[in-house]
């Protein structure tokens, strides 16, 4: 990395340096009508300059906010950089958000200009325009369907860029002067939290927050300009902002935007990324697709897969970690890679992956060991939007499936007396937008950020996360309940997609369960159980018995936990409706809104505890789960977490 690149403290300055160093190298690609269209760094730099000047021509000024709304598109990423070039602030919004959700974000951030992908997004904004006093201009990229829209504040992307080129000719020094005025401490982004516990909060992040964090993580992972990345996650999430924007500008690698959500798997195979980040549900889905395919494969192929997977789980991780392995095992594993693993990974589009990470939620140990057995160096991170993504990282050779690693570079972590995880570091946010009370509650005067998560360090200094502080409950007998911890253990089953645990001020723990329709559907077909749809499948007695086995397995795991005295699950209910973000039950990142669900399904919860069938419409199956001779709240019913028995501080 050149000295100029290292000293660049804003994204537009980094872009200018990439244009100088590798102008003809690909910076981005976008698939349109089945054909990948490349943008070089010089092409991107020119596009950002024209768009920034176009924004300036319509009055966009330093400190104003530009909303980004749509699927991953090159021009939307360029819109972020253009806003940054003028000292503006990018406010990405989830592309599937409804009008009221968008209105809340716009009013919270004070959005002045919105850059959107297409007519669908324009229609949402027209619905809320009169209720959003700050919104002045809407710019759309795709002109299809927009010819008959008369609103004077609507502009096409091409029109704005054309105005920008004229403005640039008339003010030749303007753009570079604006870029030079930018400083690292300037606000770059307002990223809104998922809103799992209430209204989303806008985390204010500076260029320094994002760039320093990106550099530190890129250094640990050894990221280079030769990496390939597929931008498939929502642009409003910290994962995409870090991987597809911040680290791309820091490392200089190429980011490709898929044609649509429906073509992601095909696009993944065509691009063959070398750096891949995904939340646990992505890896879980990929693993399930492989397992389902193997179940329907021929006897020989299925036998080879099972044999080499068993070998891979035994020696694959040791080979990845460069530990000693017997020559015979190493040779046999090499054959397995040629015959089974490499073709599988190639089919998934992951054969070229060098760095694979996951975060945002707990991932099942079986999922981690599955991909590592295949030869993928899958590692976990722990982070938050408020810290520009990275709090901890797993280093090569130090992978533990039940931990999230050690502190990221320059990050300090400590465990409070209450068991809450606190951190501070260069990525820590300035505060929440227009919410001083929430800011004061989340970040103290010394810069320590309260994560709201309960955790502890194991004997090797690796961080383990248990649950949210706000979610910890107690049964009537005083037994501690960590609902998210229980939910995650249930979700690690291939047959369970979502679980919601209840128990606060109750006599026992009960859960709602959404089955995984693909996995359970394949299981049912193998047993000649025919069904007409999700609700019919969820209502099968055989499916209820299958889920009861999953619950019993989790209960056995909970009983073996030494650190937490979690109670057993006594009752569960399989819902005949999948929980949905559009109904307010999940966030746009598919995190459960526990309090909303508890209120909405109060009748079903009461029926579940009463041992009834759950009322009309929303539930089909109720099943009691009880261990022989166990009538209480589980082992160690009154035991508190022994957080003081482990290390309480660490520094990256």
């Amino acid at each position: 990395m050149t000295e100029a690149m290292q000293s660049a403290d804003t994204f537009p300055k980094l872009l200018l340096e990439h244009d100088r160093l590798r102008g003809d190298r690909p910076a981005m690609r976008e698939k349109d009508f089945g054909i990948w269209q490349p943008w070089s760094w010089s092409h991107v730099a020119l596009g950002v300059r024209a768009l920034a000047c176009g924004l300036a021509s319509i009055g966009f000024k330093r400190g104003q906010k530009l909303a980004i709304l749509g699927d991953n598109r090159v021009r939307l990423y360029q819109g972020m950089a253009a806003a940054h070039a003028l000292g503006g602030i990018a406010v990405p919004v989830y592309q599937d958000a409804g009008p009221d959700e968008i209105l809340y974000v716009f009013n919270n951030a004070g959005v002045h200009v919105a850059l959107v992908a297409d007519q669908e997004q324009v229609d949402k904004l027209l619905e809320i325009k009169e209720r959003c006093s700050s919104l002045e201009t809407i710019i759309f990229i795709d002109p299809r369907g927009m010819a008959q829209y008369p609103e004077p504040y609507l502009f096409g992307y091409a029109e704005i860029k054309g105005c920008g080129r004229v403005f640039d000719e008339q003010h030749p020094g303007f753009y570079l002067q604006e870029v030079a005025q930018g400083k690292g401490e300037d606000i770059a982004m307002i990223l809104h939290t998922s809103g799992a516990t209430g209204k989303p909060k806008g985390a204010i992040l500076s260029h320094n927050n994002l760039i320093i964090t990106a550099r530190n993580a890129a250094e640990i992972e050894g990221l280079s300009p030769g990496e390939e990345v597929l931008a498939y996650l929502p642009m409003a999430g910290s994962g995409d902002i870090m991987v597809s924007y911040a680290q791309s500008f820091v490392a200089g690698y190429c980011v490709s935007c898929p044609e649509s959500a429906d073509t992601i798997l095909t696009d993944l195979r065509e691009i063959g990324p070398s750096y891949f980040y995904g939340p646990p549900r992505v890896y879980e889905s990929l693993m399930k697709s492989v397992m389902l395919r193997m179940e329907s494969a021929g006897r020989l192929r299925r036998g080879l897969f099972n044999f080499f997977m068993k070998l891979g789980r035994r020696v694959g991780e040791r080979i990845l970690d460069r530990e000693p392995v017997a020559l015979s095992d190493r040779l046999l594993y090499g054959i397995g890679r040629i015959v089974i693993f490499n073709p599988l990974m190639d089919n998934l589009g992951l054969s070229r992956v060098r760095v694979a990470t996951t975060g945002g939620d707990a991932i099942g140990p079986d999922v981690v060991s599955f991909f590592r057995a295949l030869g993928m160096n899958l590692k976990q991170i722990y982070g938050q939007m408020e810290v520009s993504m990275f709090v901890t990282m797993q280093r090569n050779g130090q992978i533990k499936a039940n931990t999230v690693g050690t502190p990221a570079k320059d990050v300090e972590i400590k465990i409070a007396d209450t068991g809450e995880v606190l951190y501070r570091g260069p990525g820590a946010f300035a505060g929440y937008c227009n919410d001083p009370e929430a800011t004061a509650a989340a970040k103290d005067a010394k810069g320590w950020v309260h994560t709201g998560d309960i955790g502890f360090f194991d004997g090797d200094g690796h961080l383990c996360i248990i649950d949210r502080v706000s979610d910890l409950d107690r049964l009537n007998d005083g037994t501690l309940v960590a609902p998210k911890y229980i939910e995650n253990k249930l979700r690690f089953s291939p047959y369970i997609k979502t679980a919601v645990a209840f128990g606060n001020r109750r006599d026992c723990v009960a859960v709602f369960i959404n089955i995984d329709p693909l996995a359970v559907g394949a299981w049912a077909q193998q047993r000649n159980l025919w069904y007409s749809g999700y609700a019919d499948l969820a209502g099968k007695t055989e499916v209820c018995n299958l889920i009861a086995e999953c619950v019993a397995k989790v209960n056995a795991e909970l009983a073996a936990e030494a650190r937490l005295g979690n109670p057993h699950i006594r009752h569960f209910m399989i819902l005949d409706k999948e929980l949905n973000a559009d109904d307010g039950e999940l966030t746009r990142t598919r995190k459960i809104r526990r309090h909303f669900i508890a209120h909405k399904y109060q009748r079903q919860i009461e029926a579940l505890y009463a041992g009834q069938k759950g009322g009309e419409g929303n539930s089909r199956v109720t099943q009691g789960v009880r261990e022989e001779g166990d009538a209480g709240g589980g082992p160690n019913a009154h035991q508190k977490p022994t957080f003081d028995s482990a290390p309480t501080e660490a520094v990256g």
Side-chain angles (χ1 to χ4, degrees), residues 420-459:
E420 184 180 8
V421 179
L422 279 65
Y423 66 81
R424 62 182 177 187
F429 73 138
Y432 292 119
C433 184
N434 296 318
D435 198 340
E437 291 184 5
T439 299
K443 188 177 182 181
D444 66 25
K446 295 183 179 180
W448 288 103
V449 178
H450 293 250
T451 63
D453 290 327
I454 292 286
F456 63 91
F457 288 110
D458 70 6

Side-chain angles (χ1 to χ4, degrees), residues 1 34 65 72 113 150 175 213 231 233 273 275 302 309 322-323 359 372 401 416 449-450 461 470 555 586 589 609 624:
M1 186 177 292
K65 286 89 172 181
N72 309 74
V113 178
Y175 177 76
T213 300
L233 295 171
Y275 177 28
R302 185 168 64 250
M309 276 304 302
R322 300 185 178 181
E323 296 178 4
R372 291 181 65 78
V449 178
H450 293 250
S470 59
N555 277 340
L586 303 176
T589 55
Y609 276 100

Side-chain angles (χ1 to χ4, degrees), residues 134 161 228 272 439:
S134 63
K161 283 189 69 175
E228 290 282 352
T439 299

Side-chain angles (χ1 to χ4, degrees), residues 444-520:
D444 66 25
K446 295 183 179 180
W448 288 103
V449 178
H450 293 250
T451 63
D453 290 327
I454 292 286
F456 63 91
F457 288 110
D458 70 6
D460 296 323
H462 288 241
L463 184 64
C464 303
I465 300 297
I466 299 173
D467 210 323
R468 297 289 295 169
V469 175
S470 59
D471 288 342
L472 287 179
D473 296 330
R474 287 194 180 274
L475 300 182
N476 285 333
D477 65 1
T479 303
L480 183 69
V481 181
K484 186 174 177 62
Y485 190 71
I486 295 172
E487 291 158 2
N488 286 335
K489 282 188 171 292
L490 287 167
R491 193 170 51 80
F492 294 160
S493 163
Y495 302 113
I496 296 176
K497 185 174 183 179
T498 309
V500 188
F502 308 99
N504 193 35
R505 300 180 182 178
R506 300 280 187 173
D507 292 331
C508 62
V509 172
V511 296
F512 284 169
I513 287 174
N514 271 162
I515 60 172
D516 186 294
L518 292 178
V520 176

Side-chain angles (χ1 to χ4, degrees), residues 383-444:
Q384 294 186 316
M385 198 166 279
E386 292 87 342
V387 73
S388 313
M389 189 169 170
F390 296 103
V391 175
T392 67
M393 301 178 68
Q394 290 184 329
R395 272 68 167 181
N396 291 331
Q398 302 178 31
I399 312 302
K400 293 185 175 185
N402 60 343
T403 78
V404 291
T406 54
K409 183 180 178 182
D410 297 334
V411 174
E412 301 174 72
I413 302 175
K414 68 178 182 179
I415 308 298
D417 294 339
T418 59
E420 184 180 8
V421 179
L422 279 65
Y423 66 81
R424 62 182 177 187
F429 73 138
Y432 292 119
C433 184
N434 296 318
D435 198 340
E437 291 184 5
T439 299
K443 188 177 182 181
D444 66 25

Side-chain angles (χ1 to χ4, degrees), residues 587-644:
T587 69
R588 292 296 167 184
T589 55
R590 294 201 60 80
K591 294 179 180 178
I592 63 170
R593 286 194 163 111
R594 187 183 317 282
H595 300 299
F596 181 90
I597 292 171
H599 177 75
K600 180 176 181 178
Y601 294 101
Q602 184 175 359
R603 290 179 59 191
Q604 284 78 8
I605 295 170
E606 296 300 333
L608 179 59
Y609 276 100
Q612 300 168 5
K613 282 291 179 181
E616 64 270 354
N618 287 313
S619 57
R620 295 285 297 178
V621 181
T622 306
Q623 176 73 37
V625 181
R626 185 176 294 278
E627 297 292 328
E628 182 75 25
D630 183 10
N636 306 316
H638 299 285
Q639 180 179 333
K640 296 180 179 179
T642 54
F643 296 110
D644 55 348

Side-chain angles (χ1 to χ4, degrees), residues 366-385:
D366 287 347
V367 180
V368 176
S369 65
F370 175 83
F371 281 100
R372 291 181 65 78
L374 293 178
M376 176 189 279
N377 191 20
L378 177 58
K379 298 181 285 187
Q380 297 184 65
I381 67 163
Y382 168 65
Q384 294 186 316
M385 198 166 279

